[in-house]
Amino acid sequence: DTGVSQNPRHKITKRGQNVTFRCDPISEHNRLYWYRQTLGQGPEFLTYFQNEAQLEKSRLLSDRFSAERPKGSFSTLEIQRTEQGDSAMYLCASTEGNTEAFFGQGTRLTVV
Amino acid sequence: AQSVTQLDSQVPVFEEAPVELRCNYSSSVSVYLFWYVQYPNQGLQLLLKYLSGSTLVKGINGFEAEFNKSQTSFHLRKPSVHISDTAEYFCAVTFLQGAQKLVFGQGTRLTINP
């Protein structure tokens, strides 16, 4: 296993467009988390899946954001009608329990 | 309220000098504690973690941290830094309730000068 994989690594989009990011967790990990990191800040929690069930969403996750984890494997994070304030690094992490989260390389989104 | 505070946003040190990066947290429940390092345009790499047991934990790259429950602190130390340690360091806490997500501090930018 090569760890947590995120695609794409970079995405530049025009304001108002929709974007989708993908995260492939470590295969045996049942928990998957999405975080958002803006410049000069620590990552902030967005949402959490245990297997295929989305169990918690942050209030940061507006109704333009949606995340899925079909079949409890990979996950997608979609942002509709992107705004310049959505520009950030989107990080995915997976864990089997809660003792160590493994992070992907992130997807850097730039909204122009 | 549950929160994590890194007291220094930037720490410049000379190569081979010791360094301490400070982290305090606030919690009403039990916690797990972590330090992560982030290099430019990269994800986060775990340096070390405290789950239970000995309060002094050793991690990768010569780093160590000490959990102090009474002071609710988890400071990161290295006795002698190298140029390659230049990076952003994040303290993170898992509060053992609910989603048990990581809550991160604001980060400390460690700059090593020759």
Side-chain angles (χ1 to χ4, degrees):
Chain A
D1 197 341
T2 55
V4 179
S5 176
Q6 290 188 247
N7 288 288
R9 290 290 310 278
H10 303 274
K11 178 70 176 179
I12 301 174
T13 191
K14 291 183 179 179
R15 190 174 53 186
Q17 297 295 303
N18 299 343
V19 294
T20 300
F21 311 140
R22 177 177 171 127
C23 171
D24 287 90
I26 294 172
S27 56
E28 63 268 25
H29 286 182
N30 58 358
R31 298 187 184 195
L32 186 148
Y33 297 80
W34 284 98
Y35 293 85
R36 181 171 68 187
Q37 185 180 21
T38 53
L39 204 61
Q41 302 294 317
E44 294 176 295
F45 169 77
L46 291 179
T47 191
Y48 152 63
F49 291 85
Q50 178 139 349
N51 300 312
E52 67 275 12
Q54 188 175 18
L55 296 184
E56 185 168 328
K57 293 192 289 187
S58 164
R59 62 179 182 275
L60 293 175
L61 213 66
S62 77
D63 55 7
R64 296 185 298 105
F65 287 69
S66 62
E68 295 182 340
R69 192 183 182 197
K71 303 178 182 178
S73 56
F74 71 92
S75 176
T76 57
L77 178 68
E78 181 183 15
I79 309 174
Q80 296 182 328
R81 305 181 303 280
T82 52
E83 301 173 356
Q84 286 189 321
D86 297 330
S87 295
M89 174 81 91
Y90 290 84
L91 293 164
C92 175
S94 72
T95 176
E96 186 163 358
N98 56 6
T99 56
E100 181 177 345
F102 293 82
F103 282 83
Q105 298 280 54
T107 294
R108 180 164 295 284
L109 173 66
T110 303
V111 182
V112 297
Chain B
Q2 298 170 340
S3 63
V4 182
T5 302
Q6 290 183 244
L7 297 165
D8 306 295
S9 59
Q10 296 186 62
V11 173
V13 295
F14 288 107
E15 194 172 16
E16 298 183 7
V19 69
E20 178 180 83
L21 306 183
R22 297 179 293 169
C23 174
N24 286 85
Y25 68 93
S26 172
S27 178
S28 57
V29 302
S30 297
V31 298
Y32 290 156
L33 300 158
F34 306 84
W35 276 97
Y36 284 86
V37 61
Q38 186 176 39
Y39 299 101
N41 294 313
Q42 299 292 317
L44 298 164
Q45 181 183 7
L46 182 69
L47 280 177
L48 48 77
K49 61 186 178 184
Y50 172 79
L51 306 180
S52 65
S54 173
T55 56
L56 181 64
V57 293
K58 294 188 182 297
I60 62 171
N61 302 342
F63 284 94
E64 63 180 34
E66 186 157 18
F67 170 50
N68 187 319
K69 189 174 181 179
S70 63
Q71 297 186 3
T72 59
S73 67
F74 190 54
H75 300 333
L76 181 71
R77 302 185 184 98
K78 186 169 182 178
S80 176
V81 296
H82 302 117
I83 291 286
S84 60
D85 293 324
T86 295
E88 191 85 19
Y89 291 79
F90 291 97
C91 179
V93 179
T94 293
F95 299 98
L96 296 180
Q97 65 177 24
Q100 299 185 17
K101 56 189 176 284
L102 286 164
V103 177
F104 288 85
Q106 299 276 60
T108 298
R109 176 73 183 168
L110 177 63
T111 303
I112 311 301
N113 299 307

